[in-house]
Amino acid sequence: MAEDSQYKGELWNKRAIKLLNLFSWDMIGDSGMDLEGSDGEKYGIDSLYSFKDSAKDIPESLILEAKSYKTTSFSKSKLQEWIDRLNIKILELRNSEYLIERFPIFKDISTLKIGLIFIWFDDIENYKEYRQKFLEILSEIKVSSRTFRNGVYNKIYVIDNDLISKLCSLYTVVREFNENFKFYYPSAFIHERAVQRSAVLSLDYFFSKFILGQLKSSGKRYDTNIVFYWGELDVRSFEMLKSILKSYSFVDQEFKLVIYKYKRDDDEFRKILPQIKKSYENENIEFDIKDMNSCTELPTFIIND
């Protein structure tokens, strides 16, 4: 049983690594490492990563933990245990001389303060009904006061099937654009810095209701604004989205605007689609709405080696 659990953990770690790599994150060292902390203890690490955050001057660093579990075996105490343990790993590795000696890149990237837990519930047939319970568990988790040390707070993020599926769906669109596409970071997203375009999907974008990008559909100039939208499919929500996009100067008569929606409600949405299109086209822009593929199960580009 323990061997089966270890195998599933290692398998899902490979899949989580593959997903992060698709969005231009950089793995540090190997997977499945034992690293010495500042307390002299050895800590098992699934993976270390760095990624460029457009709001920061230097790349961020984090510890990735990957879990594969069944909804029937999951509990609040299990998640609390994972988070508490990851918190200790971050604290002890942050000031570890061994870590910097082994990976000199830590001299040039941010202080280690982020943990990211991927949880894939493999009994997919039970997941949809279980997810509300999972969210309730997540809201009840307590984070130790030891997340703060030497003026630095730890941040631990938890991702489950829902967000993993959204990221997979996002990639099915992005990969069709190849190098002609970049994620778009308006000044308001990145502490009023100059607008940036990047192949890197930031951690903040993981949890956003929408993701912005720009595409060169022909030639060398960006000419299409892309919105990946995870929100509700009603007129009010699309009006609110338009208002936000306008505040980011993302509704521009010089650019085509394409919204890729994730949710499906084809019959009801078909009734209001003309109204939504008219609202956007009244801005004198070329406009379209498309569907993203729905990846309720892991796609082959994640499963296959």
Side-chain angles (χ1 to χ4, degrees):
M1 190 70 174
E3 291 181 356
D4 181 60
S5 178
Q6 181 179 358
Y7 169 76
K8 288 170 64 177
E10 291 174 353
L11 178 64
W12 178 243
N13 188 43
K14 291 179 181 179
R15 292 172 176 177
I17 287 170
K18 186 175 292 188
L19 184 57
L20 293 181
N21 290 350
L22 292 175
F23 292 110
S24 299
W25 287 33
D26 297 315
M27 189 174 170
I28 301 171
D30 301 318
S31 63
M33 299 180 291
D34 289 324
L35 302 177
E36 184 177 311
S38 57
D39 58 356
E41 297 292 325
K42 292 279 190 179
Y43 292 94
I45 302 298
D46 285 354
S47 307
L48 285 172
Y49 263 93
S50 71
F51 66 95
K52 182 66 178 76
D53 186 333
S54 295
K56 307 288 177 58
D57 291 324
I58 58 176
E60 290 281 8
S61 60
L62 61 76
I63 296 176
L64 168 67
E65 300 253 301
K67 314 289 185 182
S68 180
Y69 234 70
K70 292 192 180 298
T71 60
T72 51
S73 303
F74 192 72
S75 65
K76 175 184 172 182
S77 61
K78 176 59 66 177
L79 180 57
Q80 187 72 64
E81 175 190 328
W82 291 345
I83 288 177
D84 290 345
R85 185 62 178 165
L86 179 54
N87 182 49
I88 292 171
K89 291 179 184 180
I90 297 170
L91 288 171
E92 298 302 338
L93 288 174
R94 179 154 69 216
N95 299 310
S96 169
E97 293 181 2
Y98 171 84
L99 184 70
I100 296 175
E101 288 175 3
R102 182 164 176 181
F103 303 113
I105 190 175
F106 276 96
K107 296 177 181 178
D108 303 316
I109 61 180
S110 69
T111 300
L112 183 62
K113 59 182 180 294
I114 301 175
L116 181 60
I117 300 177
F118 271 62
I119 306 173
W120 181 259
F121 293 105
D122 54 19
D123 52 336
I124 297 172
E125 66 280 2
N126 298 325
Y127 170 74
K128 185 175 181 180
E129 183 177 345
Y130 180 77
R131 187 161 197 268
Q132 186 56 45
K133 175 64 176 176
F134 172 76
L135 294 176
E136 291 172 6
I137 289 173
L138 198 58
S139 69
E140 295 170 357
I141 292 297
K142 291 180 171 50
V143 180
S144 168
S145 59
R146 288 194 68 214
T147 57
F148 180 79
R149 186 191 287 179
N150 298 333
V152 179
Y153 280 100
N154 291 350
K155 296 181 180 180
I156 296 177
Y157 299 85
V158 179
I159 291 176
D160 72 322
N161 296 40
D162 182 70
L163 185 47
I164 293 168
S165 297
K166 288 176 180 176
L167 292 173
C168 290
S169 296
L170 170 64
Y171 182 71
T172 61
V173 179
V174 170
R175 68 176 175 177
E176 298 299 323
F177 297 148
N178 298 317
E179 69 277 1
N180 295 319
F181 173 85
K182 292 289 189 292
F183 294 108
Y184 181 89
Y185 296 90
S187 294
F189 269 31
I190 52 177
H191 308 316
E192 303 306 323
R193 292 170 176 244
V195 166
Q196 295 186 41
R197 298 170 183 85
S198 174
V200 179
L201 182 68
S202 73
L203 188 56
D204 286 341
Y205 255 159
F206 277 32
F207 298 93
S208 176
K209 288 290 187 183
F210 58 87
I211 294 171
L212 306 180
Q214 285 192 325
L215 174 67
K216 299 174 185 177
S217 61
S218 60
K220 297 181 179 180
R221 177 180 173 274
Y222 288 103
D223 55 15
T224 305
N225 287 336
I226 305 290
V227 181
F228 301 99
Y229 176 63
W230 319 111
E232 298 302 318
L233 303 181
D234 56 68
V235 173
R236 181 173 177 273
S237 295
F238 274 88
E239 285 297 322
M240 289 177 61
L241 176 62
K242 185 177 73 170
S243 178
I244 294 170
L245 296 178
K246 290 174 76 172
S247 73
Y248 296 150
S249 301
F250 216 64
V251 179
D252 188 329
Q253 294 180 0
E254 298 296 318
F255 288 74
K256 180 179 180 180
L257 176 63
V258 181
I259 297 177
Y260 285 86
K261 67 180 182 69
Y262 178 75
K263 290 190 175 181
R264 295 287 198 278
D265 189 2
D266 292 340
D267 290 340
E268 291 301 315
F269 187 70
R270 194 176 296 114
K271 297 175 184 177
I272 62 173
L273 180 57
Q275 184 179 350
I276 293 171
K277 282 193 170 183
K278 183 177 180 181
S279 171
Y280 279 77
E281 289 167 353
N282 282 344
E283 304 292 338
N284 295 318
I285 62 170
E286 186 180 354
F287 175 74
D288 198 6
I289 297 180
K290 299 183 178 182
D291 288 325
M292 279 185 269
N293 292 328
S294 181
C295 297
T296 53
E297 297 186 6
L298 289 176
T300 55
F301 60 78
I302 296 296
I303 295 175
N304 293 343
D305 292 329

